[in-house]
Amino acid sequence: MEVDLLRPGTVPIAPETILWFEFLLAPNLLLQHLEKPYADPPPSELITKFYDVISETLRINPESETAEIIDVETNNGKLKPPAKTVALKILALKVGAYLKWNLVQIRRLPFKTQINLLQDLMYFTNDKKTVEIPNVEEEDVNTASPPYLFALLLFHRWLLNTSMHRITSHWQTRYGINDISIADESIICCPENINKTVNFLTDSLEWENIPSLLTFDCFKLPTESNDCIEFDWLKSEPLSKTEFSAQINYDLGVFFFYREEYDLAKKHFSNCSQLFKNIPNIHGFYDVEKEILDVYIRACHGSADNQKASLLEQLNCSIVNQYMGITSILQQDNICKEIPLMHRLNLELDIQGAISSGAFTVARDLLQKIKALNIVRCVLDRKPLYQYSISSFKNADVILGAIHSTWKLCSQTDKQILKNYLIELLVSDSIPDLKEKLGSNEELYAIFDKHDLSYISGAENHVEIPDSLMKSEVFPDISKKRKPKMELRQLEKRLILTNDHKEIRELLVKIAMTNLGTTVWTINPQWELPIPLQSVLKSLPRGFLQDFAYVTLAKSKEQLLNRNFNLSLEYLIILEKELRTATCNVMKLFQLVSWEILLVQIAQMYTNPVDKNGLADACEVCLQTNDLVIPRTEILEQCAICLLNLGRWEFLITLEKRWATFEITSAIALACQEIVKHKGTKKLSKNLWDLVLPISASHLPQSKRNNPAFNDMSNLRSNLLSVFFKLKDSLCLAVVISLLTKLFNILKDESSLEVQMEYMNLWPAVVTNANSYNAIAACDLLSEMVLYGLKEYPTNVSWMRLMADLNFANGHYRVSLSYYLKTLLIVHDYFNVPIRNDDHVFRRMIKCCTVLGSHTQAAVLCQFLEETDYTLAFRILSEQKNCTDAVDAYYHCFWDISILEYLIHTHHKKGEYQRRKCAIQVMGMLELNSSNNEEIQREACNLRKSTFLRGLCKQYVF
């Protein structure tokens, strides 16, 4: 830092630091600083510092500006401003003159500083008459002094420029002491003032006497011996009429362009372009880049220097005008190669989409012509053509027309590339009539010499495609010596790969005819059938039916594991039909196949719509069968779980408990039935509780049940998990989750970390000898179960909140906060619905944010409580030195005035003036005024709540 304009404090300053008054003691010091290649601070920042010193002085000693000092020599009673203020203002004006009064540089200043600079310029150039922006009085151009006329001209150019740029977001830098409210900005840039400015600048184009450019030497600094304010206007630089008019025309052109008055804008831009050619010497007043001016002129549908617009501009213009002349533009671009290839490829998609949507109609072959022209461009640029199918062209005329339109004007290198491409097309025979069409085109046909024609003819006559490339499998030539083992391997490979039942029949017959003693049981090691099916199949007579049944059953199981249920079912139905027509006794196998069909239908139920009543009846029949042939255990278990998910609880309760799965499904069914019957008002039976409780024990004990299926507790655990993670019914899932939640709370035994869930209070409240159970295992099982439930029902708010509470209890605060936000997001329709008070959720979110170091976010959440917890909010805000969030970026989410006042006090005490200023600006917003009615205050509160929660969701959820 080379320049420090603030008054020296108690801390020693660096020796190379320059204080503001040193510029007065050494007149050349300021110019030396400004002429440095990398001046620190730069000129625009230096002006800001000068005015910051003035503002700081007035803040400390406000009477210095209003004190009346009588001029003793003249005794005229005029107010004389303090010498320090005058000196600082003259320094700022000298820097502005050094910048040639460049509006781009001036606009980088804080808005209030810009106004002060312009007011001071008009004050000193108008015989020290105070001028208040925007109340600038109209001046007679003929009688006004040239310096004041220049100041007026600069003011009106600035106002015009400002009115255009303030419509963009964050258009004005806001920092330092010199700020101004948005309302005051709107008053300055009101339409009435803008109209006055436009009239003033338009009239200035007719001036005969052009004001001179005020320079650095025009402003003289006061000295210790002479504190009078003097100026040397003779040192200003004369401006030519041409340079003056060119800049004013440009300013007006830009203004009218943004007002969408393109005729006026075009007129002023054209005048500017014409005047620019005649400017003898540019003194710095004219500050326009020729390229930008040309772009503006073309945007107004004009042309710079009467030159033709670029091909890319012509392309965009053609697109606007429904692709008029588009092929001509692309033909020219194939020669010039100006338009980026991506624009041309996107053009195809745009036309194809427009034609499909019926937005407008074009010639039928327009898309084909554009594709052909783009192919030529890709060939010339040596780009791949994988996105194009040459065979899609109906005839060769389109592609030959695209090449012919480019051929005449392209270079020799490009001609050779196109020639090679044509030879490639002829050899590949991609377009059938290409050779005939090419022969009728004398100019293109003449490019081929004798060697080229002989090469093309030779390729046509001698190119043979091997049979191995035309067939999916290689079959040996029957004229050669047969290799039975190789033939058998090929047949087996096809049998493994095929999914066509007709081909399976044919292949099984061919395999049987090889007479090599091969069985289909050994063809594929992955084909494994359940033991009951294997036993029945092996008992069948050796022959086609046995092999066909084995292969179809194996392939059905393979497709079932791949979740291709339709194909799996198709195999079984085909086998069932085959068994109906069999001559031998296959009733046992027929019954087993019918149950396999039922198993596939159960699996299919969870993804595809089926007849659920018919499926449930079939499951009941399967479970009640008393035949000698009983279904496989897997099928029985799946039938029981299917009935549980379909709500056939009464049947499951009365079902004989032959297997562990039946006891588990019966216990879940009983709990669901009791909840529905008693509407959740009566304690549930302990059947399911007694089944689940032992698996959470630290050491799995031996069961005292008489049922042998329960003798092994490890098997019980696997059976329980197998049933739990196949549940689909929401009530069944809620019953299991509520039981596990109750067990978690009992084993955790911390009232402050209890999690809540519906139906949880219907289970027993205590566990005997709770220390012998593993709380971590119970927590893991509950987490897995809730995650599974959310996978089935992603918008279940109660389970989502349970997951949040569970992670909170385990200290996973970031994950917990994410789930809390998800519940709020779903309940309040992405915060389009007013946020309801929920102290339990918001207090836990505050805790999560605090632990994560996001203290500002936690303080904002303190306002979400039913009654704002000021004590907690103030304590959190006092810990901001270790804050990991964006701190003052969240201040706009505060609506409680007491918290904002505390923030202002805290930042003032710490010397954090920028953050204090941000809090003051938020507190000064009109909608936070305590005098507003309740509806306005409520709306302001809801708006800030939704804004804040959306921001948190972007950080922690998405």
Side-chain angles (χ1 to χ4, degrees):
M1 184 72 179
E2 295 183 358
V3 178
D4 190 351
L5 299 178
L6 299 178
R7 56 191 178 87
T10 56
V11 180
I13 60 177
E16 67 274 9
T17 302
I18 301 173
L19 300 177
W20 72 270
F21 53 82
E22 294 185 51
F23 290 124
L24 303 177
L25 301 177
N28 296 327
L29 186 59
L30 179 59
L31 186 60
Q32 292 173 4
H33 173 76
L34 295 174
E35 288 177 343
K36 290 179 180 179
Y38 301 100
D40 183 19
S44 57
E45 187 177 336
L46 193 59
I47 296 175
T48 303
K49 287 182 174 291
F50 285 136
Y51 278 100
D52 281 348
V53 174
I54 296 174
S55 300
E56 185 71 15
T57 303
L58 293 176
R59 187 181 65 82
I60 297 172
N61 189 18
E63 66 276 5
S64 62
E65 181 70 12
T66 58
E68 185 176 357
I69 304 175
I70 305 299
D71 192 331
V72 178
E73 294 183 0
T74 59
N75 198 22
N76 55 11
K78 279 189 176 182
L79 289 176
K80 183 178 179 182
K84 177 181 178 180
T85 302
V86 172
L88 287 167
K89 290 180 177 181
I90 296 295
L91 286 170
L93 291 174
K94 288 178 76 69
V95 178
Y98 177 81
L99 296 174
K100 302 286 187 181
W101 308 105
N102 186 286
L103 290 180
V104 176
Q105 298 286 341
I106 292 175
R107 218 173 48 246
R108 292 176 182 172
L109 307 175
F111 195 62
K112 180 66 175 177
T113 304
Q114 298 177 39
I115 294 175
N116 289 336
L117 183 68
L118 293 170
Q119 285 184 159
D120 291 338
L121 179 61
M122 288 187 283
Y123 172 78
F124 289 120
T125 56
N126 193 25
D127 197 21
K128 304 180 183 60
K129 292 180 181 178
T130 304
V131 178
E132 290 292 335
I133 293 178
N135 302 319
V136 179
E137 297 180 359
E138 296 184 8
E139 191 75 17
D140 187 356
V141 177
N142 298 321
T143 59
S145 64
Y148 182 59
L149 206 57
F150 178 84
L152 284 176
L153 187 72
L154 182 65
F155 161 70
H156 286 294
R157 288 185 59 218
W158 169 85
L159 185 58
L160 194 70
N161 198 287
T162 301
S163 66
M164 291 184 296
H165 288 86
R166 71 187 301 270
I167 62 175
T168 59
S169 59
H170 306 296
W171 74 279
Q172 177 60 55
T173 305
R174 300 182 180 279
Y175 58 88
I177 307 171
N178 300 315
D179 258 359
I180 191 169
S181 67
I182 297 176
D184 290 336
E185 293 175 16
S186 300
I187 293 173
I188 292 171
C189 299
C190 67
E192 182 181 356
N193 291 333
I194 298 304
N195 290 335
K196 290 180 181 178
T197 291
V198 172
N199 293 334
F200 180 88
L201 293 176
T202 305
D203 294 340
S204 70
L205 295 173
E206 306 297 330
W207 291 353
E208 293 296 333
N209 297 323
I210 305 301
S212 300
L213 179 67
L214 302 183
T215 62
F216 184 86
D217 295 328
C218 290
F219 302 92
K220 292 188 176 182
L221 293 171
T223 62
E224 66 278 7
S225 60
N226 182 12
D227 59 352
C228 295
I229 306 172
E230 297 180 357
F231 303 97
D232 189 354
W233 304 126
L234 296 176
K235 292 187 178 181
S236 57
E237 291 186 13
L239 290 176
S240 65
K241 173 75 173 179
T242 308
E243 181 179 359
F244 174 82
S245 299
Q247 181 62 53
I248 301 302
N249 271 296
Y250 178 79
D251 292 338
L252 290 170
V254 173
F255 173 76
F256 287 124
F257 182 86
Y258 280 94
R259 282 255 297 250
E260 299 182 5
E261 298 179 20
Y262 298 115
D263 291 337
L264 287 173
K266 178 181 177 182
K267 172 186 172 183
H268 285 290
F269 283 135
S270 299
N271 292 340
C272 178
S273 179
Q274 189 64 32
L275 291 167
F276 172 73
K277 301 175 184 177
N278 302 321
I279 299 177
N281 294 310
I282 297 177
H283 294 84
F285 183 77
Y286 180 80
D287 183 33
V288 180
E289 292 184 15
K290 183 67 167 55
E291 293 77 9
I292 296 177
L293 178 60
D294 292 343
V295 171
Y296 272 124
I297 293 175
R298 287 195 293 269
C300 296
H301 304 290
S303 60
D305 296 332
N306 298 321
Q307 293 178 358
K308 192 174 182 181
S310 67
L311 289 176
L312 181 58
E313 292 169 344
Q314 293 182 47
L315 175 69
N316 294 330
C317 185
S318 176
I319 293 172
V320 172
N321 295 315
Q322 296 193 350
Y323 306 101
M324 290 292 293
I326 193 69
T327 55
S328 175
I329 296 170
L330 297 181
Q331 288 171 4
Q332 296 177 54
D333 185 62
N334 282 346
I335 300 168
C336 302
K337 302 173 186 174
E338 292 181 8
I339 302 175
L341 188 57
M342 184 57 65
H343 286 261
R344 297 184 54 155
L345 297 178
N346 289 338
L347 177 64
E348 294 180 25
L349 300 176
D350 293 341
I351 294 178
Q352 191 171 359
I355 294 174
S356 301
S357 63
F360 57 84
T361 56
V362 295
R364 289 184 179 180
D365 59 346
L366 178 63
L367 187 58
Q368 290 287 320
K369 288 181 178 178
I370 291 175
K371 285 185 176 181
L373 290 167
N374 284 349
I375 287 175
V376 173
R377 173 65 186 277
C378 290
V379 170
L380 293 175
D381 287 354
R382 294 181 173 85
K383 299 294 183 182
L385 298 172
Y386 55 83
Q387 70 268 32
Y388 295 107
S389 175
I390 301 299
S391 58
S392 64
F393 289 94
K394 297 179 180 179
N395 55 63
D397 290 334
V398 179
I399 193 71
L400 287 178
I403 295 175
H404 186 265
S405 63
T406 307
W407 184 267
K408 296 179 181 179
L409 299 176
C410 64
S411 64
Q412 290 299 324
T413 304
D414 290 344
K415 286 182 178 180
Q416 186 62 40
I417 294 173
L418 292 176
K419 175 183 173 181
N420 294 338
Y421 178 65
L422 278 174
I423 293 175
E424 182 183 339
L425 290 179
L426 289 168
V427 170
S428 63
D429 198 21
S430 302
I431 306 176
D433 61 342
L434 179 60
K435 187 173 182 180
E436 292 76 9
K437 297 289 185 181
L438 188 60
S440 61
N441 191 319
E442 297 180 0
E443 186 174 356
L444 289 180
Y445 188 75
I447 67 177
F448 300 106
D449 54 26
K450 293 181 179 180
H451 298 288
D452 297 329
L453 294 175
S454 61
Y455 171 75
I456 295 170
S457 301
E460 290 175 353
N461 296 331
H462 297 95
V463 172
E464 295 180 0
I465 300 177
D467 291 340
S468 60
L469 299 178
M470 301 298 294
K471 298 179 180 179
S472 58
E473 300 293 338
V474 179
F475 289 96
D477 188 357
I478 58 175
S479 62
K480 298 179 181 179
K481 185 178 179 181
R482 293 186 62 217
K483 298 180 180 178
K485 288 187 178 180
M486 184 180 295
E487 293 179 20
L488 180 62
R489 296 287 170 81
Q490 294 297 332
L491 293 172
E492 290 176 348
K493 183 178 180 181
R494 288 177 60 186
L495 182 63
I496 293 172
L497 296 176
T498 185
N499 287 322
D500 184 2
H501 66 92
K502 294 181 180 180
E503 189 176 2
I504 291 174
R505 292 174 184 274
E506 296 174 0
L507 292 172
L508 288 175
V509 171
K510 291 180 180 179
I511 290 173
M513 292 173 62
T514 57
N515 295 322
L516 295 179
T518 303
T519 62
V520 296
W521 304 75
T522 60
I523 290 177
N524 187 358
Q526 300 297 324
W527 288 350
E528 293 182 2
L529 296 180
I531 294 176
L533 286 173
Q534 284 190 26
S535 301
V536 174
L537 282 175
K538 289 181 178 179
S539 66
L540 293 177
R542 182 75 179 88
F544 170 79
L545 181 61
Q546 185 188 48
D547 292 344
F548 183 74
Y550 175 81
V551 173
T552 50
L553 285 171
K555 283 185 172 290
S556 175
K557 181 185 176 184
E558 185 179 53
Q559 296 302 323
L560 178 62
L561 294 175
N562 292 332
R563 303 186 65 81
N564 192 350
F565 304 118
N566 291 330
L567 187 55
S568 176
L569 202 59
E570 182 182 346
Y571 279 128
L572 295 174
I573 293 173
I574 290 170
L575 177 59
E576 191 178 44
K577 291 180 180 178
E578 186 75 20
L579 294 175
R580 289 181 189 275
T581 60
T583 56
C584 57
N585 185 14
V586 291
M587 291 305 298
K588 190 173 182 180
L589 179 60
F590 182 85
Q591 186 63 46
L592 290 176
V593 170
S594 65
W595 287 329
E596 294 297 327
I597 292 175
L598 179 60
L599 179 64
V600 176
Q601 290 174 337
I602 292 173
Q604 192 177 23
M605 177 192 72
Y606 300 124
T607 57
N608 300 324
V610 295
D611 181 12
K612 294 185 178 180
N613 290 328
L615 183 61
D617 293 338
C619 290
E620 290 183 0
V621 171
C622 179
L623 292 174
Q624 290 177 326
T625 183
N626 293 318
D627 296 340
L628 295 176
V629 182
I630 61 175
R632 294 192 293 115
T633 305
E634 180 188 1
I635 297 176
L636 294 173
E637 292 176 351
Q638 291 299 327
C639 287
I641 296 172
C642 177
L643 291 174
L644 186 62
N645 288 322
L646 293 177
R648 297 290 182 94
W649 300 326
E650 186 68 35
F651 177 84
L652 291 173
I653 293 171
T654 59
L655 186 65
E656 182 183 354
K657 316 301 186 296
R658 290 178 290 173
W659 282 279
T661 303
F662 290 175
E663 177 120 2
I664 297 167
T665 54
S666 176
I668 297 174
L670 180 60
C672 293
Q673 190 182 58
E674 289 179 350
I675 287 175
V676 173
K677 184 176 180 180
H678 301 291
K679 302 186 186 311
T681 58
K682 183 181 177 182
K683 287 279 187 180
L684 299 175
S685 58
K686 296 179 60 179
N687 295 24
L688 184 60
W689 179 269
D690 292 338
L691 287 173
V692 175
L693 190 60
I695 68 172
S696 298
S698 300
H699 301 284
L700 295 177
Q702 291 295 320
S703 173
K704 297 180 181 180
R705 294 176 179 270
N706 296 325
N707 194 330
F710 290 91
N711 288 337
D712 189 353
M713 284 293 109
S714 61
N715 286 338
L716 173 61
R717 179 183 177 86
S718 62
N719 288 327
L720 275 170
L721 297 181
S722 175
V723 174
F724 285 172
F725 291 108
K726 290 175 183 173
L727 295 176
K728 303 293 180 181
D729 183 73
S730 59
L731 183 57
C732 295
L733 284 168
V735 165
V736 173
I737 291 174
S738 64
L739 183 150
L740 296 174
T741 303
K742 186 68 175 182
L743 183 60
F744 170 78
N745 284 340
I746 293 172
L747 299 181
K748 187 76 171 176
D749 195 22
E750 289 188 37
S751 58
S752 62
L753 298 178
E754 280 191 357
V755 294
Q756 299 298 322
M757 177 63 192
E758 192 179 11
Y759 311 130
M760 190 181 67
N761 295 327
L762 303 180
W763 299 105
V766 294
V767 171
T768 305
N769 196 11
N771 293 331
S772 62
Y773 293 92
N774 190 339
I776 297 177
C779 175
D780 292 342
L781 180 57
L782 175 58
S783 298
E784 291 178 15
M785 199 65 212
V786 177
L787 288 174
Y788 172 75
L790 288 174
K791 182 181 178 181
E792 298 296 325
Y793 299 92
T795 58
N796 190 301
V797 175
S798 61
W799 295 347
M800 210 170 285
R801 179 167 169 173
L802 173 62
M803 200 66 195
D805 289 339
L806 194 60
N807 280 282
F808 184 88
N810 292 326
H812 306 147
Y813 296 106
R814 190 179 189 86
V815 180
S816 174
L817 185 59
S818 173
Y819 277 106
Y820 281 130
L821 288 169
K822 288 178 183 177
T823 62
L824 295 173
L825 188 146
I826 294 172
V827 170
H828 299 99
D829 188 24
Y830 196 63
F831 312 117
N832 291 317
V833 177
I835 315 299
R836 296 196 299 269
N837 293 324
D838 190 338
D839 281 14
H840 171 79
V841 170
F842 290 126
R843 284 198 177 276
R844 291 200 164 184
M845 288 176 67
I846 291 170
K847 173 67 174 178
C848 292
C849 289
T850 305
V851 174
L852 294 172
S854 302
H855 300 294
T856 313
Q857 295 175 355
V860 173
L861 286 169
C862 289
Q863 303 171 112
F864 285 63
L865 301 174
E866 189 169 359
E867 292 185 3
T868 304
D869 192 338
Y870 293 109
T871 304
L872 179 60
F874 295 162
R875 180 175 59 80
I876 290 172
L877 290 173
S878 65
E879 299 174 359
Q880 277 197 343
K881 57 184 172 182
N882 297 321
C883 194
T884 59
D885 58 25
V887 192
D888 50 358
Y890 290 100
Y891 284 3
H892 68 284
C893 298
F894 284 106
W895 65 86
D896 192 287
I897 300 299
S898 299
I899 296 179
L900 287 170
E901 289 176 345
Y902 179 81
L903 277 172
I904 294 169
H905 168 72
T906 303
H907 291 319
H908 180 75
K909 186 169 62 174
K910 294 180 179 179
E912 298 171 345
Y913 297 113
Q914 291 296 330
R915 291 180 177 175
R916 181 192 69 177
K917 175 184 166 185
C918 183
I920 292 173
Q921 287 178 340
V922 172
M923 192 169 67
M925 292 182 177
L926 295 177
E927 62 267 27
L928 298 185
N929 194 322
S930 57
S931 301
N932 292 335
N933 57 40
E934 291 184 3
E935 183 179 354
I936 294 176
Q937 293 182 13
R938 185 168 55 253
E939 185 63 28
C941 171
N942 290 334
L943 178 62
R944 283 159 175 76
K945 281 183 177 181
S946 60
T947 301
F948 176 71
L949 290 176
R950 287 191 186 110
L952 284 188
C953 284
K954 288 181 180 179
Q955 181 178 355
Y956 294 105
V957 178
F958 302 114

